[in-house]
Amino acid sequence: SNGPILGLLVFQVGSGSQIPGVCTVSGSTDICTVTYPTANLPLGNNTITVTYAGDPNYAAASASANVSVSPGNIWVADGNGSGSVRVEEFDSSGAYLSQFTINGGGRFQNGAAGMAIAPGGNFYIADSANKNVSEFSSTGAFIGSFGGWGTGNGQFTGAAGVAVDASGNVWVVDAGNNRVQEFSSGGAYLSQFGTVGSGNGQFFSPGAIVVDSAGNIWITDGNGSGTVRVEEFNSSGAYLSQFTINGGGRFPFGVAGMAIAPSGNFYITDSANKNVSEFSSTGAFIDTFGSYGIGNGQFTGVQGIAVNAIGNAWVVDAGNNRVQEFSSGGAYLSQFGTTGSGNGQFFSPGAIVIH
């Protein structure tokens, strides 16, 4: 009859701690399950072992599998100086892998304003010149564009940052209309939030956008009264909170890029001061790393930023045509890229994502 099965199901990663699971009988099917967040798996190859024993009515059993975990590949948008606008792919160590061109058909005459990757691997890239967003497949094939110049639903007067939530919906900062618009994965207009102003939930100069693990949406904004802030909204566009980021002379020209680490902390790039500031998940200022220059850990034109699964920050140093890696504490780790139009080189890098 239906009910609990005696005995014990055990899930183990390598030689780590054993995690008990739950076994039940459902109809004629005997089901044993255990839940383990893949984000908790160490990087590299993991041997997963599941064993069952302890009920005289059921035979003991075991199974194992290998699961490989990577911090994710790095994708960088670049105008290569020879009339091509492209997206280049690098592995988690910065080795060049591939690229695809995005500016066919008159697209991206001013380069890519923002870029995001959907859960399925498709790219959504904001085109500030054409006031729209183009979608590309995971292999770089052009799928279609949505948007266009205007103030109506689904239109833009300044397409800027773009982010994709866990459901695959696309959130686009419409900087010229001081709002954020939501689209389906196929580009159908769904909703919007934001009006012009300096109050809660309003915008004066919105730019970067990220969606956190809870589905909440964070947008940077210069509110027109001397404050540079980050505002939080829920997945329905309702205002939740904000924190100010421009104390201590930070962000006099606003924000160039923003990312959220697995810890929930924010990393925000400051193009004026040529550095990156870290804030806690509640908006408390933690520290700044980087400075003006061409040395390791320095910048001459800081732009986009992305954080990988282990919390390392990859920062586009547009002035030096490279991407630099830093630890979660801001220590310089590595870099890749040189000036040029060849594979793995940059002429005008900007947006960056990790997937």
Side-chain angles (χ1 to χ4, degrees), residues 47 60 73 76 81 87 115 134 144 153 232 235 253 288 296 303 330 346:
T47 300
N73 289 346
V76 184
V87 176
M115 178 170 64
S134 288
N153 294 344
E232 178 189 14
S235 59
F253 300 155
T288 295
N296 293 345
Q303 291 292 324
F346 302 114

Side-chain angles (χ1 to χ4, degrees), residues 138-167:
S138 59
T139 58
F142 175 67
I143 295 173
S145 296
F146 57 89
W149 190 90
T151 60
N153 294 344
Q155 296 181 311
F156 306 100
T157 61
V162 59
V164 181
D165 64 26
S167 299

Side-chain angles (χ1 to χ4, degrees), residues 332-344:
Y332 169 82
L333 297 176
S334 69
Q335 64 180 276
F336 63 85
T338 57
T339 301
S341 59
N343 294 345

Side-chain angles (χ1 to χ4, degrees), residues 75 87 89 100 115-125 135-141 143 164-166 168 185 353-355:
W75 302 80
V87 176
E89 178 190 14
F100 61 91
M115 178 170 64
I117 299 182
N122 284 4
F123 293 79
Y124 293 88
I125 308 178
E135 180 185 5
F136 296 84
S137 74
S138 59
T139 58
I143 295 173
V164 181
D165 64 26
S185 59
V353 291
I354 295 176
H355 182 75

